[in-house]
Amino acid sequence: MRPYELPDLPYDHGALEPHYSARVLELHHGKHHAAYVKGLNTTIERLDAARAAGDLSSIVGLEKTLAFNLSGHVLHTIFWQNLSPDGGGRPEGELAAAIDDGFGSFDAFRAQLSEAANTVQGSGWGALSWEPLGQRLFVEQIYDHQGNVGQSGVLLLVVDAWEHAYYLQYENRRAEYVDAIWNVVDWEDVARRFDRARELVLVEQPR
Ligand code: MN
């Protein structure tokens, strides 16, 4: 099977300035995201080698490393697509209505997702997810790349709260960075994810 690949950014490094600096984006995509892709492929190779050797004694560490790198690759891939130089503002249509239903208002949703990103202890993410079993939206607070989340959430909008995401530009002012990200959220991308997520059937309902 083909190895995973680092996707190109959908815009130039400077496209999100001044909200997100070209240098931070260049490092974040070209070094950090790239490292997760490399780590993912290396872990898959090590799992292949372990099976081939008939020695699965390293399985605990490899499965944890697989989850970390796979989730890091997925989260960053979605994060880049969630952002756009033409972003900002508010969602419209069915997504806007679902946010109002789920959180009371857009402002209440924004406050909850911002707080989730701002208060992650150590490294993590804030996320808006669609939960297909209960057919509802949740804000989730992700630890590292894969911890503290329900198993069913389909990621719609993610905010990287790792220090590498903002420190070079915003230093210790994480909340200022998170506020700036709202200015470049591509709501059309989030709405497309919402439309696709709602077609996912997790469990057939008994008749
Ligand atoms: Mn990151």
Side-chain angles (χ1 to χ4, degrees):
M1 279 184 280
R2 291 175 53 194
Y4 287 84
E5 292 178 5
L6 179 68
D8 290 336
L9 287 171
Y11 31 72
D12 295 336
H13 286 139
L16 305 178
E17 290 195 345
H19 311 291
Y20 206 62
S21 85
R23 181 61 178 153
V24 178
L25 184 54
E26 183 180 9
L27 288 169
H28 196 173
H29 173 259
K31 302 295 183 187
H32 293 278
H33 185 176
Y36 301 129
V37 176
K38 185 166 186 281
L40 174 57
N41 288 324
T42 301
T43 307
I44 291 168
E45 288 169 14
R46 291 177 62 195
L47 282 163
D48 291 346
R51 283 196 308 276
D55 177 8
L56 293 170
S57 59
S58 56
I59 193 75
V60 172
L62 286 175
E63 295 289 4
K64 188 174 182 194
T65 305
L66 177 69
F68 177 80
N69 285 294
L70 174 60
S71 301
H73 178 34
V74 169
L75 280 163
H76 285 90
T77 301
I78 293 172
F79 187 43
W80 310 136
Q81 294 185 1
N82 279 161
L83 305 180
S84 165
D86 303 316
R90 292 173 175 227
E92 297 175 353
E94 292 183 49
L95 175 59
I99 285 173
D100 286 345
D101 279 351
F103 301 96
S105 68
F106 176 79
D107 288 341
F109 153 71
R110 175 176 159 152
Q112 186 176 342
L113 179 49
S114 292
E115 192 70 4
N118 287 334
T119 60
V120 172
Q121 296 174 328
S123 298
W125 297 68
L128 171 67
S129 300
W130 173 250
E131 200 293 288
L133 191 59
Q135 299 275 295
R136 58 182 297 163
L137 295 168
F138 282 115
V139 164
E140 298 192 280
Q141 187 177 54
I142 304 170
Y143 277 88
D144 294 325
H145 298 142
Q146 75 276 28
N148 202 47
V149 285
Q151 293 293 349
S152 59
V154 180
L155 296 169
L156 306 181
L157 172 63
V158 296
V159 179
D160 194 339
W162 284 54
E163 286 188 350
H164 73 223
Y166 63 87
Y167 215 88
L168 198 63
Q169 183 176 2
Y170 292 94
E171 299 180 331
N172 62 317
R173 303 182 304 277
R174 193 197 300 185
E176 200 176 305
Y177 151 72
V178 171
D179 275 346
I181 286 296
W182 290 104
N183 293 321
V184 285
V185 170
D186 183 351
W187 288 109
E188 290 182 14
D189 178 74
V190 180
R192 279 193 295 273
R193 293 177 191 284
F194 179 56
D195 290 342
R196 290 197 299 267
R198 283 182 296 166
E199 294 176 9
L200 176 63
V201 177
L202 193 68
V203 177
E204 293 286 354
Q205 296 298 322
R207 292 173 188 279

